[in-house]
Amino acid sequence: MTNKQDPTGSVLERLEKAEQLKIMCEHKEALIILEELLIEDPQNISALEEVADNELSLEHFNRARKAALQAIALDKDSYTGHYILGFLHSRGEEWPEALKELQRANMLKPNNPEILRCLGWALFSGDQRTQGIVTLERALNLDSENPLTLCDLGVTHLQVHNFMKAKALFLRALDLDPTNERAKECVEAVERLEKSAVKK
């Protein structure tokens, strides 16, 4: 019996091993396992989704896009595929396209904090500011110790001149991750803006 007909056993074990490597940020090692799985079965959607996710972490954006598109071609309901395409459109500040993909991912996989974080950012950046902040708040409620969400939400509050709330969010991100350069820079930016507001 081949692996293709037997998704239990070896294939699932190897997907699990690749997932563990990804969590440990060993993306290249994870990709070796995943690429072997795809040689055996080019239609393994789980492996394609994991390839896209690992390539994204390595900032190999074209490869991530290609794997995400392949996953969606095989399964139009691949929420990981839609999320990755939405993330890549956000990077390019292509907000309508990002929103389309992220809303689809959110519909397929509701209450996923990472999808909601990216969706909130795309909404805010695409001029749906209130909806964006509300969506980022939801992401934070689901994952209250995520420095990325704290910083994204902080930046939205900074842009609407809610300095006190922004600073509290950035300081919380720094509490969780004292080496977070983005949070440090944002705290300094808030302090500069606070000073200039006082001078006025």
Side-chain angles (χ1 to χ4, degrees):
M1 205 165 170
T2 66
N3 284 337
K4 211 168 185 175
Q5 295 152 326
D6 178 20
T8 56
S10 147
V11 173
L12 288 182
E13 277 169 29
R14 285 146 76 199
L15 280 168
E16 184 61 36
K17 173 78 175 149
E19 178 71 19
Q20 291 304 317
L21 287 165
K22 181 178 80 175
I23 289 165
M24 295 186 297
C25 297
E26 312 255 338
H27 302 292
K28 288 179 179 166
E29 292 78 358
L31 282 166
I32 291 167
I33 295 171
L34 294 164
E35 281 159 8
E36 281 170 5
L37 283 168
L38 286 168
I39 289 165
E40 292 164 23
D41 177 9
Q43 308 221 327
N44 185 325
I45 294 160
S46 298
L48 279 167
E49 290 173 340
E50 286 297 311
V51 165
D53 208 5
N54 280 284
E55 294 288 14
L56 192 64
S57 297
L58 291 168
E59 298 189 0
H60 298 161
F61 300 124
N62 285 336
R63 292 171 71 145
R65 178 179 283 110
K66 190 177 165 196
L69 286 167
Q70 276 180 279
I72 292 167
L74 292 168
D75 176 9
K76 65 180 180 10
D77 291 339
S78 165
Y79 77 85
T80 303
H82 288 290
Y83 155 72
I84 286 170
L85 291 181
F87 180 92
L88 292 168
H89 283 303
S90 284
R91 275 196 84 255
E93 298 186 5
E94 298 154 346
W95 304 119
E97 296 87 346
L99 274 174
K100 185 178 146 229
E101 295 293 348
L102 292 165
Q103 282 167 336
R104 177 90 177 123
N106 184 49
M107 193 185 83
L108 294 164
K109 181 81 172 172
N111 299 320
N112 177 294
E114 179 57 18
I115 292 172
L116 285 170
R117 178 181 80 82
C118 292
L119 177 57
W121 184 254
L123 284 162
F124 186 87
S125 303
D127 289 331
Q128 297 181 51
R129 291 190 152 198
T130 305
Q131 192 60 37
I133 289 173
V134 167
T135 306
L136 281 162
E137 292 278 8
R138 271 188 61 210
L140 191 61
N141 286 337
L142 291 164
D143 183 7
S144 61
E145 300 201 343
N146 186 324
L148 290 172
T149 309
L150 286 160
C151 283
D152 283 356
L153 189 55
V155 169
T156 64
H157 281 290
L158 193 58
Q159 289 189 24
V160 297
H161 302 286
N162 188 350
F163 299 143
M164 224 165 81
K165 174 82 173 170
K167 191 173 182 180
L169 289 159
F170 296 137
L171 290 172
R172 173 97 178 99
L174 273 177
D175 277 347
L176 293 165
D177 177 10
T179 63
N180 189 318
E181 285 304 318
R182 184 181 177 207
K184 282 181 198 169
E185 286 166 16
C186 288
V187 169
E188 287 163 16
V190 176
E191 287 169 351
R192 281 196 303 274
L193 287 164
E194 282 174 333
K195 278 177 193 159
S196 66
V198 168
K199 281 176 190 166
K200 284 177 188 170

